[in-house]
Amino acid sequence: MRDIDNLCLKCFNELTEGAVCAECGYDNDEPNDTMYLAQKTLLAGKYIIGAVLSHESDAVTYAAYDTQLDKKITIREFFPKGIANRLEGSADIHIRQKYLDAADGYKKSFYNLWTTMEKMHSLSAVVPVYDVFEENGTVYAVIEHLECIPLREYLLRNENGYIPWDNARLMFMPVLTTLEALHNNGIVHGSISPDNLVLCRDGKVRLSPFCIQECADIKSPFEFTGQEGYAALEQYDNNHRIAPATDIYAFSACIYRALVGTNPPSAQSRETNDKIMIPNSIAETIPMHVIKALGGGMQVYPEKRTRNISDFRERLDAAPSVQAQAAAVSTNYTVYQELDEKANKRSRITIIILVVLIVAAIAAGIYVVEFTDLVKQPATTTPTVQLKQYEVPNFVNTGYTKSDVENNGAWNQQFTITFTADYSTDVEEGVIFKQSIAAGETVDSGTEIVLTVSKGIQTVEVPDVSNKTLDEATQELEALGFKVSSVEVYNDGGHIPNTVKSVYGSAPAAGETVAVGEEIILQIYGEVQTTQPAATDNAD
């Protein structure tokens, strides 16, 4: 084992120029925040904790070192964001009071997820897990460290921001085998996106990280892990169940991003307009069976979507059975184009190709957009001004965000929509929760509708109440809307009894931003302990 004192606690290379690592630039004199495990903490007798890499949703990710295998690893600690914290000097996590009843179930879900992943370490598209254990009142997963970059970064490095299907096929198809195995073991990833599909040095595309399924629902107490454009409708709407089709939607959206170069629109906005646009210049380079497969995988409603990986794989591969089904598909759509009689032959051929693409793509739910001047519009005529009326949509109960509304062309043509913002204890940040005109009312075209967007739960910075009496500290904290409880700590005689501990006297700590109404735990110095000598009888 190498001397840990001479290693960088982020990249675990040798330190050659003092505390700042010459390899990664990490300052090893900078400790982890007190809410996380301290650097050089030893877990399971063999894993040494290093720098905090991230804290998302259900877990903290640490850089770490395996002293037995003498190599860098990654450790994920079950530490649900916004639900848990640590008291100073304790490695045990502290679950906030209102989540105590549910916390054991969440921890069990985390344990089951990572023990299942450990058994599936041989799958090509998952980052290998080789140990799962319980300690400090929580659960840890030990994951092999792999050098990789996110798919999004890889795509941005390409000149056009997208790649041809031949390249994408080699990258994406092997991941389907892994997804199928995960689904067969009851695991739905729930947050597949170009940021957690990663390309590793060995050339493989892998899924990382994984969170428990409770994080995949926007209405859960956890931080939502889905990304707009990649999260399926059922992750916003509890009327639909999260299932393997949820991952198929996100995976299809990732392929779309790789082939087209832009993020797809959000699932919520597509509920009112389910068309997905592909520029014809790009559509001409994508095989029609792939466009059809993406259309099936990105159906807005899960009951209409391709439901299992096996069918989705066949459609992407254009298996003979799928080709036969596609040949039998008819369409009820008719495409009309007004062509310039003087258009040259090449233009006519291009238009014919475009029409064929559009007709075929309609069957898959994907529209191809023409961006050339080949189609000329009819001569303009003086429009007849008519006063139209429209029914006001329900913006509130469907989970729409500001961007969903701004990107809906029909609504913005029908109404004048403005936005305001306010705090809400019940609605996630960014989601609309009030509208100035009730849904269902009929109003004139152009009527202003004011939509109120949630700023989330109101938060306040925890003040520094160290050295204040319990009553003073309680009064100050309660005035800010916090609940207050206290625990007594040892007094060595150097502190005034019944005052708040001078350093890290509260949890959450002073300076942290916490939701109004949360519980603040104060550490209070007790009375100085004295020992009275025992009484003895004097003998003559």
Side-chain angles (χ1 to χ4, degrees), residues 111-174:
Y111 181 84
N112 290 341
L113 166 65
W114 290 102
T115 52
T116 302
M117 296 293 292
E118 183 181 13
K119 297 171 186 175
M120 302 171 70
H121 69 276
S122 60
L123 291 174
S124 66
V126 295
V127 178
V129 178
Y130 64 86
D131 196 7
V132 181
F133 61 94
E134 295 190 53
E135 197 171 325
N136 301 327
T138 189
V139 179
Y140 297 90
V142 180
I143 306 166
E144 185 175 332
H145 172 74
L146 295 173
E147 296 293 338
C148 56
I149 62 169
L151 172 64
R152 188 184 302 279
E153 182 178 340
Y154 170 80
L155 294 173
L156 291 174
R157 291 181 182 181
N158 280 267
E159 181 179 358
N160 297 318
Y162 58 88
I163 57 177
W165 168 243
D166 287 345
N167 291 3
R169 185 181 185 282
L170 296 175
M171 294 168 53
F172 286 106
M173 295 302 288

Side-chain angles (χ1 to χ4, degrees), residues 38 52 84 111-112 131 185 289 361 397 455:
V52 173
Y111 181 84
N112 290 341
D131 196 7
N185 281 272
H289 68 270
N397 296 326
K455 293 166 64 175

Side-chain angles (χ1 to χ4, degrees), residues 13 16 19 23 32 40 76 109 135 165 208 253 260 264 288 307 322 335 347 350 374 393 473 498 509 516:
N13 288 312
T16 58
E23 293 292 328
N32 289 343
K40 300 185 182 179
R76 281 179 71 83
S109 294
E135 197 171 325
W165 168 243
S208 177
V260 178
M288 184 50 60
R307 297 192 182 188
V322 175
V335 179
S347 297
T350 304
L374 296 176
N498 202 41
V516 170

Side-chain angles (χ1 to χ4, degrees), residues 299-314:
Q299 287 289 321
V300 177
Y301 296 105
E303 60 270 20
K304 296 181 179 180
R305 198 179 306 149
T306 305
R307 297 192 182 188
N308 61 70
I309 294 295
S310 178
D311 288 348
F312 185 63
R313 182 193 294 110
E314 281 194 342

Side-chain angles (χ1 to χ4, degrees), residues 252-264 276-278 294:
S252 300
C254 289
I255 298 177
Y256 174 94
R257 167 64 184 87
L259 298 180
V260 178
T262 60
N263 293 324
I276 296 181
M277 306 300 184
I278 301 179
L294 297 183

